[in-house]
Amino acid sequence: MNTPKRASPRHRSRLSRLAERADRPIFFVFGVVGLVALAVILFFVIREAVPVFRYVSASELLGPSWYPTSEPPFFGALPMIAATGLVTLGALLLAIPLGFASAGFVSEIAPPAFRDLAKSLLELLAAIPSVVYGFFGLTVVAPFVQRAFGLPTGQNALTASLILGLMALPTVASLAEDALTAVPKAHREASLALGASRWETTWRVVFPSAFSGLFGAAVLGMGRAVGETMAVLMVAGNSPVLTWSFLRPVRTLTAGIALEMAEAPYRSVHYHALFMLGAILLLITLATNGLAEWLRGRVARQGE
Amino acid sequence: MIPHRRSRTRRATEIVAFSLFGAAMAVALLALGIILYYILSRGSGAISWEFLTTFPRKGMTAGGIYPALVGSVYLTVGALVLALPLALGAAIFLVEYAREGPWVRVIRIGVNTLAGVPSIVFGLLGLALFVKALGIGVSVLAGSLTLGLLILPLLIRTAEEALRSVPRSFREGGLAVGATRWRTIRSIVLPAALPGILTGIVLGLSRAIGETAPIMFTAAAFFTPRLPTSPLDEVMALPYHIFVMATESPNAWKTKDLQYGAVLVLVGLVVVLNLGAILLRAHARRRKVW
């Protein structure tokens, strides 16, 4: 056995010596950690969700009544799917115009020095925890909405949409700005040289050229709004009743899980049904991310 | 392009349209300003040394946030300690070892997709895997593992970016004097990438400390009479504490001041961490004049 020579500069830890010989396979294992995490999430959420079909049929799962603790219980997720759609739509109606326009401001009008500042501030807006947005919505926006529309409660889909829109805004604005900045300068110069004004250039040349990237920004903003939990839980009112009105309390998929999981006994029908809501969310996420990824590929090809 | 319209109309259109663009930016920044100002002005009155260092009293209607603050620090630091080695390894693989190709593309799509998974789904995974299947129970450890997975993609991306910003010549220099690839990475590339990696660490902490949904079923307790003594104990956590006080307490209106105070502490931590990240990034960029 070699005695370790501690004082020698040649001494290296055993781990390090191993790493030097087997570095490639070792780091390959680390490299796939993201994929493994994703696979583990898919596996466990689906594993806990699927047993719900032993008790509830697929058509009942998409039914209009959600009364998980009544006798007999009803597990129809439609009200929550609809509510998620409703508040996401509302959020995007706010976040897309504001996000695209502020991105246009930063990339086309503002001095370049403003770009870093704006990006940092948008990052800060994105960094504020969702429970804080929920708190702000509950104490400021909900009372305002209640008074403005003369409602019994300000906790409804509209308030949730406003807060969610604000939360999705930094994502949309920042990615849209990246897309606009990526449009080659030559496009703008060609348009201006033909006599178009700066606005005409922006609206008819830059925005259309950046279409894929802008669409991707909107899609990722949508993903953010669909998956948001705490803020919606605090301001949307949480009534699991099917409605298409923005002025009614609603319960989204995320809020439903957060609200009821603590009361659902382990591996009861209710527990499995809540995991099924999670699986639906996961499916929406995979779809939106797949779309965003495809659009990103298109943008990359355009750049070549 | 539009020959029939008179130039004055075109000019007016341009002014109106660009003003709207500016207004949109102003709305976004104004919203940020209003939220920060509102929280600061309402919350600053509640902040005191006592508020930060004492337990809640009288059924959480008085007293401080000490256990929630400490619990959040445990959870957040735990998440970082668990996730950072994995994230660094993954980033080193992607930048130093992998050759661009379909495999790397799949790995990268996996990381991006993981970043888009809703935080409540991480909570579900934590419940099914860590709390139940592995039998860890509702605990600091289960919460840290869940939060660690949540910040994994963010850490991988920032570390990847930091490693990529190190010039090729650094690596060539190391290899040219006969160092192995790993030795070159450890002694030359990683130190050069350190400021960028630190930026990612700070952003990861900031993200983890504010998350509520992933710890609801895996770690967080409504109230604990003492601090956790082992990683297998439940903890209070600041964001969950805020959520509970604002929504579930029958005395929600009575504890308004405490709520504002707790929100201010959380936002303060997040803002300080993010400013730190901005400064670190500026520092990293300035140094890049190699």
Side-chain angles (χ1 to χ4, degrees):
Chain A
M1 282 272 293
N2 294 333
T3 43
K5 287 174 257 174
R6 288 198 180 280
S8 156
R10 292 190 141 205
H11 168 75
R12 293 178 213 134
S13 73
R14 195 176 302 166
L15 184 74
S16 172
R17 255 178 298 161
L18 182 71
E20 261 160 56
R21 251 177 287 132
D23 51 353
R24 190 173 288 278
I26 288 175
F27 280 110
F28 177 76
V29 172
F30 279 113
V32 295
V33 72
L35 279 180
V36 171
L38 194 63
V40 167
I41 291 177
L42 273 169
F43 175 76
F44 273 91
V45 171
I46 290 172
R47 189 182 81 151
E48 300 294 307
V50 164
V52 78
F53 289 123
R54 270 189 249 149
Y55 312 96
V56 186
S57 71
S59 60
E60 196 193 330
L61 258 177
L62 292 172
S65 321
W66 179 268
Y67 300 111
T69 52
S70 72
E71 203 49 60
F74 288 93
F75 294 103
L78 187 61
M80 287 181 271
I81 296 172
T84 297
L86 190 68
V87 297
T88 301
L89 176 73
L92 289 180
L93 286 177
L94 184 71
I96 289 179
L98 278 180
F100 283 9
S102 40
F105 178 78
V106 174
S107 85
E108 305 302 314
I109 312 169
F114 182 73
R115 182 169 187 256
D116 282 345
L117 179 69
K119 282 246 164 183
S120 296
L121 290 174
L122 285 176
E123 239 171 71
L124 198 57
L125 195 63
I128 294 177
S130 70
V131 73
V132 173
Y133 277 105
F135 183 79
F136 182 76
L138 198 60
T139 52
V140 179
V141 183
F144 174 78
V145 168
Q146 185 183 4
R147 255 179 282 121
F149 293 89
L151 299 168
T153 170
Q155 293 173 40
N156 53 34
L158 176 63
T159 309
S161 296
L162 290 172
I163 291 293
L164 272 184
L166 193 57
M167 294 178 76
L169 177 60
T171 307
V172 176
S174 188
L175 291 170
E177 202 274 334
D178 291 342
L180 293 178
T181 310
V183 174
K185 223 176 151 199
H187 285 28
R188 295 184 180 83
E189 282 160 0
S191 166
L192 292 172
L194 286 170
S197 70
R198 276 178 66 200
W199 163 249
E200 285 153 8
T201 302
T202 302
W203 188 240
R204 305 207 168 186
V205 176
V206 179
F207 269 71
S209 313
F211 179 78
S212 290
L214 292 173
F215 193 54
V219 168
L220 285 180
M222 184 181 114
R224 177 101 206 254
V226 168
E228 182 45 54
T229 308
M230 299 315 291
V232 196
L233 178 60
M234 291 168 83
V235 302
N238 292 328
S239 155
V241 174
L242 187 60
T243 176
W244 295 107
S245 164
F246 273 104
L247 298 178
R248 294 256 191 79
V250 294
R251 182 187 297 182
T252 62
L253 289 166
T254 51
I257 298 169
L259 209 60
E260 295 173 20
M261 189 50 95
E263 299 150 22
Y266 181 52
R267 296 214 160 147
S268 61
V269 195
H270 192 187
Y271 170 94
H272 292 307
L274 291 176
F275 268 87
M276 186 49 81
L277 300 187
I280 295 172
L281 267 176
L282 202 49
L283 219 67
I284 299 174
T285 310
L286 293 181
T288 50
N289 264 80
L291 187 59
E293 212 53 61
W294 179 71
L295 287 163
R296 195 172 305 171
R298 277 185 52 144
V299 174
R301 276 197 300 280
Q302 272 175 356
E304 277 158 17
Chain B
M1 235 182 189
I2 311 168
H4 299 299
R5 253 200 257 171
R6 284 167 52 209
S7 71
R8 207 187 302 163
T9 335
R10 289 174 62 198
R11 180 84 194 128
T13 314
E14 176 166 281
I15 290 172
V16 170
F18 279 157
S19 305
L20 286 176
F21 274 21
M25 190 74 233
V27 167
L29 298 185
L30 201 64
L32 176 66
I34 289 174
I35 292 175
L36 292 182
Y37 174 77
Y38 173 77
I39 289 162
L40 189 64
S41 64
R42 298 289 178 100
S44 54
I47 307 282
S48 66
W49 187 244
E50 197 209 339
F51 183 70
L52 297 175
T53 57
T54 61
F55 273 70
R57 283 179 285 115
K58 297 180 189 162
M60 306 223 307
T61 57
I65 55 167
Y66 182 61
L69 202 54
V70 173
S72 274
V73 171
Y74 284 172
L75 285 168
T76 308
V77 173
L80 186 72
V81 168
L82 293 167
L84 186 63
L86 293 176
L88 268 183
I92 289 175
F93 173 75
L94 283 171
V95 178
E96 309 292 337
Y97 289 96
R99 291 184 203 90
E100 286 301 322
W103 259 105
V104 170
R105 197 168 142 66
V106 168
I107 287 177
R108 204 157 276 140
I109 289 176
V111 173
N112 287 340
T113 308
L114 192 63
V117 170
S119 58
I120 188 83
V121 174
F122 281 93
L124 288 178
L125 169 79
L127 175 66
L129 174 59
F130 302 131
V131 176
K132 298 295 186 187
L134 296 180
I136 299 175
V138 175
S139 61
V140 179
L141 181 58
S144 288
L145 284 164
T146 310
L147 285 174
L149 279 181
L150 179 96
I151 59 173
L152 195 60
L154 183 135
L155 292 176
I156 293 177
R157 279 182 188 166
T158 46
E160 207 191 324
E161 201 181 309
L163 291 172
R164 238 175 251 292
S165 74
V166 177
R168 238 181 108 98
S169 58
F170 278 41
R171 298 177 179 92
E172 286 160 357
L175 295 172
V177 295
T180 59
R181 190 169 207 128
W182 164 241
R183 179 80 185 168
T184 306
I185 293 168
R186 206 187 58 170
S187 308
I188 300 176
V189 180
L190 277 179
L194 193 62
I197 294 171
L198 279 175
T199 309
I201 290 176
V202 172
L203 288 176
L205 288 173
S206 150
R207 173 83 198 274
I209 204 165
E211 281 291 345
T212 320
I215 57 171
M216 280 176 106
F217 326 129
T218 58
F222 178 75
F223 177 75
T224 56
R226 63 186 81 82
L227 294 178
T229 52
S230 108
L232 298 178
D233 287 349
E234 289 184 293
V235 273
M236 294 177 71
L238 198 50
Y240 187 66
H241 185 66
I242 292 169
F243 167 67
V244 169
M245 296 239 291
T247 57
E248 283 178 18
S249 157
N251 303 314
W253 57 273
K254 244 201 258 174
T255 60
K256 269 280 174 266
D257 286 344
L258 297 179
Q259 294 171 31
Y260 285 120
V263 170
L264 177 56
V265 172
L266 181 60
V267 171
L269 284 169
V270 168
V271 169
V272 166
L273 285 171
N274 271 273
L275 290 180
I278 290 172
L279 292 179
L280 269 170
R281 197 180 297 152
H283 175 71
R285 282 214 185 117
R286 211 168 337 112
R287 273 189 16 155
K288 220 179 278 173
V289 193
W290 300 107

